Amino acid sequence: MNPVIEAINRRRSIRAYEPKPVPRDLVREVINAGNEAPSAMNSQPWRFVVVEDGAARKELLAAALPRAKEITEQVKDVDPERYEMIKKRYAELPDPVYYSAPTVIFVIGTGRYAAHSCPLACENMMVAAHSLGLGTCWVGFGAMAVEEPDVKALLELKDGDAVFGPILLGYPKGEPQRPPKKDAKVKWI
Ligand SMILES: Cc1cc2nc3c(=O)[nH]c(=O)nc-3n(C[C@H](O)[C@H](O)[C@H](O)COP(=O)(O)O)c2cc1C
């Protein structure tokens, strides 16, 4: 199979990582792939904050977890199956938000083009990481940590900055099954 198509198809969200750190040259390669993404008006409205430090990652978890739990309660009636799955993670995992990934990359967007452009950088990063034998996961719950002023200061966020991801990065522990995916809905004209 074409290697790009194969990487796109075989990338999975990874929720278990080896404790082994990711060498910085690989982290840079993943970020450079993000930086190559298309962007409106070629604005490249992103920057990347890489968190590797153990104490900082603990601070992120302490800030994000109560907020993630609060949001989870809101899906209880809307999607009971997903609710139970997430609750199980809270009960079983030491880090049910960032899954103890050794590297957490916040993609920070500024300006009017960020909303459309930054997710493309994120996807490039996830596919590139997969092609390098690394695992990733976009963790929306993880972005909630920035609601804590200390975390906002730690990441040097300014008012008006938008957070995409964060994208977890690490060596995957095992290979998850492909979740069910709907067939593409297409109308030909
Ligand atoms: C915007 C966004 C937010 C997400 N947030 C989370 C999250 O907080 N926690 C998590 O475990 N997975 C999160 N995911 C991963 C999705 O659950 C995952 O992409 C989906 O189940 C499909 O699985 P796949 O990525 O293996 O194809 C997020 C994905 C996206 C795109």
Side-chain angles (χ1 to χ4, degrees):
M1 199 194 283
N2 169 299
V4 176
I5 303 285
E6 184 170 13
I8 289 169
N9 288 348
R10 298 202 59 175
R11 175 215 57 81
R12 291 274 70 82
S13 289
I14 301 298
R15 299 186 176 87
Y17 294 89
E18 300 291 349
K20 187 175 146 187
V22 181
R24 285 208 173 163
D25 57 341
L26 287 185
V27 178
R28 277 195 200 96
E29 206 160 342
V30 167
I31 288 174
N32 287 341
N35 200 48
E36 279 298 316
S39 60
M41 301 283 184
N42 198 24
S43 52
Q44 291 184 259
W46 47 64
R47 65 182 196 278
F48 306 89
V49 179
V50 182
V51 183
E52 299 169 320
D53 179 70
R57 286 190 288 125
K58 265 194 185 154
E59 191 178 339
L60 292 178
L61 178 62
L65 189 55
R67 291 172 167 92
K69 285 184 169 171
E70 217 177 289
I71 300 293
T72 303
E73 287 307 310
Q74 294 171 17
V75 302
K76 191 174 181 175
D77 298 328
V78 191
D79 189 346
E81 208 174 304
R82 187 157 294 265
Y83 172 77
E84 289 305 329
M85 188 183 78
I86 298 174
K87 287 282 279 187
K88 194 163 174 272
R89 285 184 195 147
Y90 291 148
E92 290 176 358
L93 300 180
D95 175 356
V97 177
Y98 305 96
Y99 305 113
S100 307
T103 305
V104 180
I105 307 177
F106 288 81
V107 179
I108 312 298
T110 33
R112 65 195 301 188
Y113 301 125
H116 292 112
S117 305
C118 293
L120 305 183
C122 293
E123 173 69 352
N124 266 18
M125 290 163 70
M126 293 191 282
V127 173
H130 174 83
S131 79
L132 295 167
L134 294 165
T136 60
C137 188
W138 177 322
V139 285
F141 279 156
M144 289 171 186
V146 310
E147 290 167 19
E148 185 69 40
D150 286 352
V151 171
K152 198 174 164 195
L154 177 77
L155 303 186
E156 297 178 12
L157 298 191
K158 298 180 210 74
D159 288 343
D161 281 346
V163 175
F164 298 85
I167 305 298
L168 309 181
L169 186 67
Y171 291 94
K173 223 187 236 176
E175 207 178 308
Q177 276 198 335
R178 179 177 182 267
K181 302 260 176 183
K182 299 171 195 157
D183 287 340
K185 295 186 186 105
V186 184
K187 178 178 169 65
W188 302 91
I189 296 178

